[in-house]
Structure formats: C-alpha cells, structure tokens
Amino acid sequence: GAVVSQHPSRVICKSGTSVKIECRSLDFQATTMFWYRQFPKQSLMLMATSNEGSKATYEQGVEKDKFLINHASLTLSTLTVTSAHPEDSSFYICSAAISGELFFGEGSRLTVL
Amino acid sequence: GQQLNQSPQSMFIQEGEDVSMNCTSSSIFNTWLWYKQDPGEGPVLLIALYKAGELTSNGRLTAQFGITRKDSFLNISASIPSDVGIYFCAGQEGAQKLVFGQGTRLTINP
C-alpha cells in the first residue's frame, strides 16, 4: 500500500489564487520530505527540501515566496503555490524516506486557468 | 546542478522483445536508482544499486551500477504490455536528494 499520500490529486484554479497541496507520510514519521515539479513529458526537478520544524531549503531558481513550504508535523508537509499563474501548471510530486528508501506520493496535477 | 543523460528518450518495440536503456553522469553517485512512472502517477522504485559494479535483478528487470560510478543501465527482458510507461534513472546525492534522468518512454506494440 501507499506510504506517501498527496492531496488533492487534481486541482484547477483561477489565475491569481493560491493553492495548497498536502503530502502525508502514512504510518511513519518523516523529518524530511522533498517536493518535485514535473512538466509534461519532462523529468522530475527537485524544488525544495522540506524540514520538520525549520525552514525549507530551496533549489536554485525556485522562488521561496512563490512556493511556500510548511512542515509543521512529522507526517505532513504542505506546498502552497501563491498567486498562481498558468505557467505554474504542472505535476507536483512529494517524496519521503523510510528506512533509507524514498517513496513518492501519487502526485498532484495543478491547472491554472 | 548535476544532470543525468538518459537514453534513449523513447522506444517502440514489439511485445516479447528485450529492452535496454542507460544513464550517464558527469559526476559520481553513491547510489543509482531506477523508477517507473505511469501516467498521472508518482514514480515507483524498481531497482536500487548501492555498489560500483553491482548487478541486481528484479524479475525480468536487471540493472547494473557502473564501475566508474558514473553510469548505470536497465534491461527488461521479454517485454509485456504492462511494461509500458516512462522509466527514469536517478542518482542519489547525500540526504536522499535525487537527480533524475530525462526519462525513457517505452511503447509496446502487441
């Protein structure tokens, strides 16, 4: 069964609004989670490392004020896309490690109209 | 940042054929991973390689960690329709950070 779950799986929003995506570790605690972004027919690109109880670490070129990450508990990390624009439309995927192995969530497809 | 070169980008084969894909890197990784991604889903781990030269099998899948630690290949034998999907290699840096290849899209004709 799934060990990492994302919600929602699909979301459509209007340009200018903010969207929150949740990533939960099921039955285990994850002090670190990772957020990836995947454009159609392209690879996964790491956006940021989410650290429980501290600030996220963003990869070069990723706007931290645009993509807000909160890791308030050991089982939940959230990614909020603020003031979304059509170019933010993408597939967002999180991952968490258990026993040294990384598991990925099901992904969340964001469409900004 | 680091990049992985994965080839081929796409493959069109007949059912029953064997498949081979590979990844190369400009730098060394301590762990190589191979994932499969179905449309609209997150990647699922197929094989993990931890030692240079390691050859590991998982059913019809075989993967090897190159001696130089800068490359890896994945073979699929006797392909079946459910093998269709996108295959990604990934090199693991410290603290579970992954760098992904561009992916190989596999299409199988019955």
Side-chain angles (χ1 to χ4, degrees), chain A residues 35-39 42-48 59, chain B residues 2-3 98 100:
Chain A
W35 286 97
Y36 291 83
R37 182 174 183 176
Q38 185 179 31
F39 289 110
Q42 294 192 23
S43 187
L44 287 79
M45 298 298 294
L46 180 65
M47 298 176 65
E59 295 299 303
Chain B
Q2 295 194 53
Q3 291 189 347
L98 297 183
F100 282 86

Side-chain angles (χ1 to χ4, degrees), chain B residues 51-68:
Chain B
K51 294 181 181 179
E54 178 181 355
L55 182 70
T56 298
S57 292
N58 178 9
R60 294 179 295 107
L61 278 61
T62 302
Q64 184 159 31
F65 191 150
I67 289 291
T68 65

